[in-house]
Amino acid sequence: MPTLALTDFNIVVSVLGGWVSLFGLVSYLCKETFYLSEALISLLAGVAFSPSAANFIRPLDYAGSQANLDAATLYFSRLVLGVQLVLAGVQLPSRYLKQQWRPLTWLLGPVMTTMWLSTSLVIWALLSPGTSFLHALVIGSCVTPTDPILSNVIVKGRFADQNVPPELQRIIIAESGANDGLGYPFLFLALYLIQYTGFQGTAEFPVPDGGAGKAMALWFGETWGYTIILSIIYGAIVGYIAKELLHWAEERKFVDRESFLVFAISLALFIVGTCGLIGSDDVLACFIAGNVFTWDDWFRLETKDDSLQPTIDMLLNVSIFMWYGAVCPWSMFIHGPVPIYRLIPLGILLLLLRRLPWVMLIHKRIPQIEDWRQAVFVGFFGPVGVSAIFYMYITVEFLDKLSPHSVDSQSIVLRPDVAMLGETVTVVVWFLCIVSVVVHGLSIPLGKLGLYLPRTLSRALPSVSSVSVDASDAHLPGRRSRHAGTLPSFLIGSRVTSLSFGRAGAGETGTDRATNPVAVVGNGEDNKDGAVPSATPSPNSPNASVLAANTDQRPIYRIGGTIIPSSSSNQGSCTSSSGSQSPSPLNGPGPTSLLPGRTIRFPDDPPAATN
């Protein structure tokens, strides 16, 4: 008899496939209409399916222990970062790193260093008093790199195409790709100093030999030499060989289209695996390999209109942020080593001080940032995401090596100075990642809402105004009368256009139109081609009846309030049959006959000659 097989595999695959399918049905609406990032939506979905909510996804049960869960999250993050950074390198034009080395040097040198130091200072000031500055440097180094996955919100899609210049998009991609790998020097400088100088020593934990000299030797030798420089050389060599091999196979028709398109993704998997084997910086090597792979721009142009790479990119983004929503230690935000009343101001201050002031200071040295508005944009959108989680688990793994395992119980005996550092860095980095995903994911939608909401309300809500006209002072320029009837209001639109209410006949010239400016209100649509719209609205236009009512029932005012006298269709309509002029009902007594060729008579015109 058939029975339900509620296994972990079946549940996870069902939830993941169902969510990706449901999100795909409204993905264009979410991303291109409401400007919501897939990272934010997937994170919320992960929270909804997590043990804290629906309990459909139970990561701790799948992993068996917290150590296995941390290792799985670290490897998943490595995989996603590797693929993303190869694709980021492929997106850049030919020889981009060589051509734009000066602005990249400013962003990866002074800006990144000040980001690290300022972030560490804020963390040191707001965390518990027992946190040392070296510990703050460790936490600050984890959140210093900008995340290339979350940066896609401002470099891809409709918003980027309409608002971000292409050169600015490329410099953001290049910086977010390169500084992910360059986070290692900042992190390991602080970790080596903690290992060799941050502890006084006990009988159980003697002080390591070497001191600060040993720490600096390891930092220059292992971190810069083996981890950074070796990864750059290795990534460049692998990218160049891959490019030449693909050229050779394509020229001889040995490779089919499917394998050609997936080549960059398989290259990312190869680099992540081999760099992991030799213990180098796989993140930086992937970005360098992707850029060298398309050094001649051939592969980028060949795959520019193909959707396979963006499809893989989307699947990885949705999966990783769903996983983050499920594994995030939400309870530690309340019951962890850092209280919530310290975490909230920490998140706010880091959004404001981590990156924005330093980009504003040096933006004039970066040609891609044209003015201070773009500097604010680039400075604010420096998100914390997958790269921060990656470095956080690297930190926890390093700290475990400082704490030996006891022989009898296999439990970890923590070194006293780092006993709380692992939990502190976990709580702070996770909280800042969640804050960044939410704030940067909602910034563009809220910004668009703030821009269009007043205009939308002005179009939707009727404008009621009561204006009275006093016959005694109606002849005074700029004065409105106080005892006339209520006048209908002008139509509210997005743009006011100066038009001519003249006749469109053959006898009217451009000079005649220029001398008859009348302020009318447009229909709310931008005149993008620069053409002057017709003064006479179409009978089927939505404003035709309103304009007709305005011109028939109320006077037309010039800017400043002067009343423009109304005129009838016949030039002599205001003159009696005997030749005497009747008083104007709107402008007091006086001649109202029109000048030749004129359809509207202004108060300051000389009187027309009468027969």
Side-chain angles (χ1 to χ4, degrees):
M1 182 177 179
T3 58
L4 292 177
L6 299 179
T7 61
D8 295 337
F9 176 80
N10 292 337
I11 294 175
V12 170
V13 172
S14 301
V15 171
L16 180 61
W19 166 248
V20 173
S21 300
L22 291 176
F23 175 72
L25 295 176
V26 293
S27 58
Y28 184 85
L29 180 67
C30 293
K31 294 192 293 185
E32 304 297 338
T33 302
F34 298 123
Y35 302 102
L36 294 171
S37 67
E38 57 196 19
L40 173 61
I41 299 174
S42 300
L43 179 72
L44 296 177
V47 176
F49 297 140
S50 70
S52 302
N55 200 26
F56 287 158
I57 301 178
R58 300 180 294 273
L60 188 58
D61 294 344
Y62 309 151
S65 66
Q66 187 63 43
N68 293 337
L69 179 60
D70 294 345
T73 306
L74 172 61
Y75 297 148
F76 193 10
S77 302
R78 282 182 56 198
L79 174 65
V80 173
L81 279 176
V83 174
Q84 288 279 0
L85 290 176
V86 167
L87 296 182
V90 170
Q91 293 175 23
L92 297 176
S94 172
R95 296 173 173 83
Y96 188 83
L97 296 183
K98 178 181 178 181
Q99 295 172 357
Q100 303 296 332
W101 67 271
R102 285 187 177 87
L104 285 174
T105 301
W106 281 103
L107 290 172
L108 300 176
V111 171
M112 195 171 178
T113 303
T114 51
M115 286 171 60
W116 174 49
L117 295 176
S118 61
T119 301
S120 302
L121 286 171
V122 173
I123 292 173
W124 184 44
L126 290 182
L127 290 188
S128 58
T131 303
S132 68
F133 185 64
L134 282 178
H135 293 181
L137 287 175
V138 171
I139 303 173
S141 62
C142 293
V143 298
T144 294
T146 56
D147 189 69
I149 300 174
L150 295 177
S151 297
N152 287 340
V153 178
I154 60 173
V155 297
K156 290 183 180 180
R158 179 183 171 192
F159 174 82
D161 295 339
Q162 294 179 351
N163 299 279
V164 185
E167 286 299 323
L168 192 59
Q169 295 180 27
R170 297 187 187 106
I171 198 68
I172 293 175
I173 293 174
E175 185 213 0
S176 62
N179 68 11
D180 270 14
L182 293 178
Y184 271 93
F186 301 104
L187 175 63
F188 278 91
L189 175 61
L191 289 177
Y192 285 144
L193 290 175
I194 288 176
Q195 181 179 3
Y196 289 97
T197 66
F199 184 53
Q200 300 299 324
T202 62
E204 187 177 6
F205 297 99
V207 178
D209 297 332
K214 181 66 175 295
M216 298 308 296
L218 288 174
W219 186 64
F220 280 108
E222 290 191 4
T223 303
W224 278 105
Y226 191 81
T227 304
I228 301 299
I229 297 177
L230 178 61
S231 65
I232 293 175
I233 296 173
Y234 180 75
I237 292 175
V238 172
Y240 179 80
I241 294 176
K243 174 177 68 70
E244 294 299 322
L245 289 176
L246 190 60
H247 268 294
W248 177 82
E250 198 274 337
E251 289 173 356
R252 289 161 177 78
K253 308 299 181 184
F254 289 170
V255 59
D256 60 3
R257 184 65 179 173
E258 290 78 11
S259 300
F260 182 86
L261 295 176
V262 82
F263 197 85
I265 298 172
S266 61
L267 179 65
L269 299 179
F270 174 78
I271 295 175
V272 169
T274 53
C275 279
L277 290 175
I278 63 177
S280 187
D281 186 356
D282 50 357
V283 175
L284 183 59
C286 284
F287 177 72
I288 298 298
N291 194 261
V292 174
F293 180 64
T294 185
W295 197 255
D296 56 359
D297 231 15
W298 170 64
F299 185 81
R300 183 180 73 89
L301 296 177
E302 287 290 331
T303 59
K304 186 175 182 180
D305 298 327
D306 189 80
S307 60
L308 176 63
Q309 295 176 11
T311 301
I312 301 297
D313 179 36
M314 185 272 295
L315 287 174
L316 289 176
N317 293 347
V318 170
S319 302
I320 189 67
F321 281 99
M322 277 192 67
W323 182 257
Y324 283 171
V327 303
C328 179
W330 301 99
S331 60
M332 293 185 68
F333 297 157
I334 306 298
H335 307 291
V338 182
I340 190 66
Y341 64 83
R342 293 181 183 269
L343 288 175
I344 293 176
L346 177 63
I348 296 173
L349 288 177
L350 288 186
L351 287 174
L352 299 176
L353 302 178
R354 167 177 164 265
R355 177 179 170 89
L356 179 59
W358 323 121
V359 175
M360 293 291 293
L361 284 177
I362 60 96
H363 78 275
K364 293 183 179 180
R365 297 183 179 273
I366 302 176
Q368 290 83 359
I369 303 178
E370 297 177 356
D371 53 25
W372 66 270
R373 295 178 181 85
Q374 292 186 2
V376 172
F377 177 77
V378 175
F380 177 74
F381 280 97
V384 178
V386 179
S387 57
I389 303 300
F390 169 75
Y391 282 116
M392 183 263 294
Y393 283 114
I394 292 291
T395 302
V396 174
E397 187 178 51
F398 183 89
L399 294 176
D400 288 342
K401 297 178 182 178
L402 302 181
S403 305
H405 295 261
S406 61
V407 179
D408 53 352
S409 62
Q410 296 297 319
S411 61
I412 297 178
V413 180
L414 296 177
R415 211 175 82 170
D417 63 318
V418 296
M420 296 298 295
L421 180 56
E423 292 185 5
T424 302
V425 68
T426 300
V427 172
V428 173
V429 172
W430 269 114
F431 183 81
L432 295 179
C433 178
I434 299 300
V435 169
S436 180
V437 171
V438 174
V439 172
H440 291 108
L442 293 177
S443 295
I444 296 177
L446 292 179
K448 288 287 185 179
L449 180 64
L451 179 64
Y452 290 121
L453 184 60
R455 183 180 300 179
T456 304
L457 292 177
S458 66
R459 293 177 182 176
L461 299 177
S463 175
V464 180
S465 61
S466 299
V467 181
S468 300
V469 178
D470 187 358
S472 62
D473 58 4
H475 64 283
L476 298 177
R479 295 285 300 276
R480 296 192 181 188
S481 55
R482 293 185 291 270
H483 303 293
T486 300
L487 302 176
S489 61
F490 288 108
L491 176 67
I492 296 178
S494 64
R495 182 172 296 183
V496 178
T497 310
S498 294
L499 301 177
S500 173
F501 259 1
R503 293 189 301 266
E508 183 177 351
T509 63
T511 304
D512 295 330
R513 291 173 181 164
T515 56
N516 294 287
V518 179
V520 295
V521 182
N523 58 3
E525 298 179 359
D526 292 341
N527 190 12
K528 297 181 180 178
D529 56 358
V532 177
S534 173
T536 305
S538 171
N540 298 325
S541 65
N543 294 338
S545 60
V546 181
L547 288 174
N550 285 348
T551 54
D552 292 340
Q553 300 176 12
R554 61 168 295 171
I556 300 176
Y557 291 86
R558 284 194 287 182
I559 297 177
T562 305
I563 299 176
I564 301 175
S566 61
S567 61
S568 58
S569 59
N570 297 325
Q571 183 168 336
S573 60
C574 295
T575 307
S576 62
S577 58
S578 61
S580 61
Q581 296 172 345
S582 59
S584 172
L586 293 175
N587 203 31
T592 58
S593 59
L594 302 177
L595 297 179
R598 296 282 290 275
T599 58
I600 299 177
R601 186 185 184 284
F602 295 94
D604 54 355
D605 286 336
T610 57
N611 296 329

